[in-house]
Amino acid sequence: MTITEWENHSVVLSKSFGGVGLVKHFAVIGDPIAHSLSPLMHNAGYKALNLAADYQKFQVSPEDLQEAVFGLKALGFSGWNVTVPHKETILPFLDELTEEAVRAGAVNTVKVDKGRLIGHNTDGSGFVRSLQEHMELDECKQIVILGAGGAAKGIAMALAPFGAQLCFMNRTPERGAELVEKILEGGGQARQEPWGRGEWLAQADCVIQTTSIGLKKEEYPFSLVGIRPGTLVVDIIFNPWETPFLHSAKAMGCKTVNGIDMLLYQGVNAWEFWLEDKAPLESMRKALYQALAV
Ligand code: ATR
């Protein structure tokens, strides 16, 4: 594109936000951040709707977090996503939290609203939306969650209001017990089963793998023996596209889903929180899937 073409393009784009030269800026901050697919997904969405907006990624180390947050605000960013390791440590620098952020105890989306920093969480609602593409959550009675770390907590807090019994299984039982207590305190249903036992699988409508085992390319220390064919099995990892866990679930006749749509829908929900308008879901999905060459 020549400079003149770019200028004309920018003028057309910026009219979408009510004024020539008005461009909205968004970003994601984390450490590490190099592999984040969020810029690609959001920028594809802006392009599809001809919006005057851009989305960048910034590596921010824990000791620079406060300066980065105030820097983004000073530079006029409209909002940003927050990823590992800042989702909890950013809380003291924000002016307000949404209900979802309070429930999760973590923030993955910040919006600048009349100079105030509003912390929100779309991880849980994004996971729920991705699951609803495959099952009726209201009819689900039993959900098995493997793991009890940060990811499991976000997912469990978002699933609990749908009424299913959440059955946790974690290597360190103390962490599982803490999560069960939290869900029960909030009025949900939860219990924990011992790590390594398979009988409970026969009653599950859905099994969700949230541990970081697949990322570390370690062997999954649990077996799916006993699971009913047709059960929905989810692994929140999407790289590799099909983890050995999902591969064995498929071989047992289960429906399998990886974590890519969880990433997609947390982005879609962040977009809709920032721009208060429907996000171009299919353009964002296409960009993600293309980047992963599927
Ligand atoms: P995240 O935010 O990605 O969930 P986390 O809070 O560190 O990260 O949690 C990682 C989860 O993976 C935990 O449930 C952890 O189990 P422990 O609570 O016992 O640590 C689980 N995990 C990681 N490596 C594991 C392994 N080799 N075997 C079993 N569980 C493992």
Side-chain angles (χ1 to χ4, degrees), residues 35-274:
H35 295 107
S36 172
L37 295 172
S38 290
L40 188 130
M41 166 171 64
H42 284 274
N43 285 320
Y46 305 144
K47 197 166 167 212
L49 295 187
N50 243 6
L51 288 185
D54 58 41
Y55 188 112
Q56 304 168 59
K57 56 185 165 195
F58 296 115
Q59 173 151 1
V60 173
S61 58
E63 58 275 20
D64 291 334
L65 180 62
Q66 180 170 11
E67 276 183 76
V69 166
F70 295 136
L72 285 167
K73 182 180 167 189
L75 289 169
F77 275 70
S78 301
W80 55 90
N81 285 127
V82 182
T83 189
V84 178
H86 306 314
K87 290 186 185 190
E88 291 171 12
T89 46
I90 197 169
L91 295 182
F93 311 130
L94 305 176
D95 298 306
E96 209 178 294
L97 297 179
T98 62
E99 226 175 83
E100 289 84 348
V102 172
R103 203 181 315 134
V107 160
N108 80 323
T109 303
V110 175
K111 176 178 179 171
V112 185
D113 187 17
K114 298 183 195 80
R116 289 174 63 75
L117 300 181
I118 320 288
H120 184 45
N121 193 302
T122 67
D123 285 331
S125 61
F127 182 79
V128 164
R129 254 174 105 170
S130 74
L131 212 57
Q132 282 169 326
E133 278 198 352
H134 304 279
M135 72 187 305
E136 282 295 335
L137 261 177
D138 292 325
E139 289 167 17
C140 193
K141 294 198 170 54
Q142 183 97 234
I143 298 178
V144 168
I145 299 180
L146 302 172
K153 183 178 164 203
I155 285 171
M157 297 306 278
L159 288 178
F162 287 89
Q165 158 104 211
L166 305 179
C167 169
F168 293 96
M169 192 175 159
N170 196 47
R171 176 180 59 182
T172 311
E174 293 75 19
R175 281 182 102 184
E178 258 174 55
L179 254 182
V180 167
E181 202 175 308
K182 210 166 164 45
I183 300 289
L184 294 178
E185 269 170 20
Q189 299 190 64
R191 69 175 206 275
Q192 182 169 213
E193 291 289 345
W195 181 244
R197 289 229 328 257
E199 306 93 80
W200 42 269
L201 279 174
Q203 297 151 32
D205 300 303
C206 177
V207 176
I208 305 167
Q209 196 307 106
T210 74
T211 74
S212 44
I213 298 172
L215 275 179
K216 295 187 272 185
K217 309 232 177 339
E218 287 175 28
E219 287 260 324
Y220 286 89
F222 31 78
S223 137
L224 286 169
V225 171
I227 199 165
R228 285 177 298 174
T231 305
L232 183 67
V233 177
V234 184
D235 195 325
I236 64 164
I237 291 167
F238 56 84
N239 196 4
W241 190 255
E242 186 178 270
T243 58
F245 178 72
L246 284 191
H247 187 75
S248 55
K250 205 184 249 178
M252 292 171 128
C254 299
K255 285 185 282 179
T256 58
V257 174
N258 71 11
I260 193 70
D261 284 351
M262 183 181 172
L263 172 68
L264 169 69
Y265 280 112
Q266 67 72 33
V268 163
N269 287 355
W271 170 303
E272 294 178 350
F273 178 65
W274 287 325

